[in-house]
Amino acid sequence: MFNHFHGDPRLRHWAEVIVDFCTKVQPEERVEITGEFGGKPLMLELYRRCLEIGAYPILKPSFGETSEIFYDLANDDQLKHVSEVTRFETEHTHVSLHVLAESNTRNLTKVDPSRIAKVRKARQEISRIRKEKVRWNVTSYPTHAYAQDANMSLTDLAELIFSAGLLNNENPLQEWQRLRDRQRKMTKLLQGTKAFRVETADCDLTMGVEGRKICESSGAVNMPDGEIYTGPVETEVNGRIKFSFPGYYIGQVVEGIDLEFKNGKVVKASASSNEPFLMEMLGTDDGAKRIGELGIGTNWGVNRFTKNLLFDEKMGGTIHLALGESYSETLGQNRSAIHWDILHDLRDGGRLYADSDVLMENGEFQGRFAEVWNEAI
């Protein structure tokens, strides 16, 4: 697995995009590079690039089995324990780069959800520091586990990642800058929107966003990327949504998630499979019952569902809603120990409204929004 893409020049491009464009690593900055051992080729390229810039990178590979052992053996105190070493490292890190490279995406399937919720709640403050004080980026390296989840060969999955990451272009950094410019024009057009409404066969949901900021994501925290997002007003989400795609979260899969909202809060919830996990996550805290994020996927290079939310939430023509924590840059106020993105398809008869205007229909921008999106950069 480690050497499958050894020597591929796109690995070098990948590292340059993350270090030079996404996180803009500077000389003498402390950079943490983490990830499972399967992502070794990319982790080494990131390490090399940080050294070339003059930063101080620390490489911290891990083993996928660790979390399974932890949840199997940890007592209640250990579940709630937050290491002072971890806290110190977090508070003294400038940039955190994480390479997802799981060898088994189901190793937590049999873990009691309440144990996972305890860990998430205990580490909530550390997570907030990382999100708000540390420049961070998460990317996903092609592994056999991800390929099997996506029903693809390892090579085909890698090509999808390279394509979605614009890494086949002669100058990937320039291509990402073009996407960023395009998305910023779209967010400027959307600023001032009072409400978004999602309408499909299994959804009629309205989210108030007055006073909130419409943001764009073009590599700053994820690679590949491509989304426009905001934080709905915590008391102004009303209606119902039955998600068209399964929900994937910390090794668990939940099919047929059906949620009804009133005045911002989930008042009715069900799922066709693994409903107890859904209910456990909704019960994590009060914020877990509210929507922390509405995201609109704008990367049409992601053209199929892979069961990897890092890619899937960026899929052009879809939206995703996150139960739980808001992102501070949207001016969202919701606080929770969870942030669970769940995907919904608009490509077959779906509509997304920005106030009374159709923003997207059948997975494509419409009207003045399409004009802005299709303008030559």
Side-chain angles (χ1 to χ4, degrees):
M1 182 193 301
F2 300 152
N3 296 318
H4 193 85
F5 305 104
H6 181 71
D8 192 316
R10 292 174 295 184
L11 285 178
R12 171 70 177 184
H13 291 162
W14 198 345
E16 289 175 345
V17 168
I18 291 173
V19 173
D20 297 25
F21 176 78
C22 298
T23 56
K24 300 185 185 301
V25 173
Q26 301 298 309
E28 301 184 4
E29 286 192 314
R30 291 180 291 276
V31 183
E32 172 189 79
I33 302 170
T34 60
E36 285 195 28
F37 205 65
K40 175 183 175 181
L42 179 57
M43 292 172 71
L44 289 177
E45 288 294 341
L46 292 168
Y47 184 74
R48 179 179 288 111
R49 184 58 187 151
C50 287
L51 285 173
E52 290 172 347
I53 285 175
Y56 303 134
I58 300 174
L59 194 59
K60 298 165 64 177
S62 61
F63 301 98
E65 295 86 353
T66 304
S67 57
E68 185 177 357
I69 295 170
F70 175 75
Y71 281 110
D72 183 45
L73 297 177
N75 60 37
D76 201 56
D77 288 339
Q78 289 171 318
L79 290 173
K80 297 177 181 178
H81 177 71
V82 179
S83 167
E84 288 301 315
V85 174
T86 300
R87 185 182 298 276
F88 180 88
E89 289 181 337
T90 302
E91 292 174 345
H92 292 81
T93 295
H94 295 109
V95 181
S96 178
L97 308 178
H98 185 65
V99 179
L100 293 167
E102 295 169 276
S103 56
N104 180 4
T105 60
R106 301 290 181 269
N107 63 348
L108 299 183
T109 300
K110 293 185 178 180
V111 175
D112 183 344
S114 66
R115 291 171 66 79
I116 296 174
K118 286 180 181 179
V119 172
R120 291 271 164 168
K121 196 166 185 176
R123 299 180 183 178
Q124 186 174 359
E125 183 60 26
I126 293 292
S127 297
R128 186 169 297 133
I129 293 172
R130 284 188 175 276
K131 286 180 180 179
E132 298 180 359
K133 305 296 184 181
V134 179
R135 302 201 309 281
W136 56 276
N137 190 276
V138 177
T139 194
S140 191
Y141 191 81
T143 67
H144 288 293
Y146 295 147
Q148 289 165 355
D149 280 351
N151 294 319
M152 301 173 72
S153 71
L154 185 63
T155 299
D156 286 345
L157 175 61
E159 291 303 323
L160 173 66
I161 295 172
F162 289 139
S163 175
L166 307 179
L167 301 173
N168 293 319
N169 293 280
E170 185 175 334
N171 190 336
L173 275 72
Q174 185 179 68
E175 293 303 314
W176 277 106
Q177 186 60 56
R178 287 177 178 172
L179 177 64
R180 180 168 291 178
D181 292 342
R182 174 180 281 179
Q183 291 193 159
R184 285 179 175 175
K185 288 185 177 181
M186 182 66 80
T187 58
K188 184 177 180 180
L189 182 61
L190 287 169
Q191 295 298 345
T193 299
K194 294 182 179 179
F196 288 100
R197 179 185 175 193
V198 186
E199 186 181 66
T200 65
D202 290 316
C203 171
D204 190 347
L205 190 70
T206 300
M207 291 162 279
V209 295
E210 189 170 8
R212 297 296 160 87
K213 188 174 180 182
I214 312 296
C215 302
E216 64 87 25
S217 186
S218 48
V221 296
N222 289 155
M223 182 53 58
D225 209 348
E227 71 169 286
I228 292 167
Y229 65 103
T230 190
V233 177
E234 290 71 29
T235 57
E236 295 185 17
V237 178
N238 290 283
R240 171 183 173 258
I241 180 168
K242 184 177 182 181
F243 288 94
S244 51
F245 290 103
Y248 289 80
Y249 195 56
I250 48 181
Q252 300 278 347
V253 183
V254 186
E255 303 267 1
I257 298 174
D258 196 338
L259 303 176
E260 185 176 335
F261 292 84
K262 185 175 182 180
N263 298 327
K265 195 171 184 177
V266 174
V267 293
K268 186 177 180 181
S270 65
S272 58
S273 74
N274 207 1
E275 187 174 290
F277 178 78
L278 171 65
M279 297 306 183
E280 190 72 43
M281 290 300 101
L282 289 171
T284 301
D285 47 44
D286 185 67
K289 300 177 182 67
R290 302 180 188 274
I291 297 296
E293 177 197 4
L294 160 66
I296 305 167
T298 61
N299 189 331
W300 277 267
V302 183
N303 54 19
R304 60 179 293 171
F305 188 61
T306 66
K307 301 179 184 177
N308 183 334
L309 261 295
L310 181 69
F311 305 130
D312 296 339
E313 69 173 9
K314 311 302 190 298
M315 192 187 307
T318 68
I319 61 131
H320 57 275
L321 303 179
L323 292 169
E325 185 83 357
S326 297
Y327 289 121
S328 59
E329 64 268 23
T330 68
L331 306 181
Q333 302 298 311
N334 200 43
R335 292 294 172 259
S336 175
I338 73 168
H339 181 94
W340 182 5
D341 292 303
I342 311 173
L343 194 69
H344 192 62
D345 205 346
L346 301 181
R347 295 174 297 176
D348 184 17
R351 283 186 176 182
L352 175 63
Y353 294 86
D355 293 329
S356 59
D357 296 329
V358 178
L359 168 60
M360 184 174 279
E361 184 171 12
N362 292 319
E364 300 289 342
F365 288 119
Q366 300 295 310
R368 60 195 176 101
F369 305 104
E371 292 176 7
V372 166
W373 187 256
N374 294 323
E375 281 180 356
I377 301 298

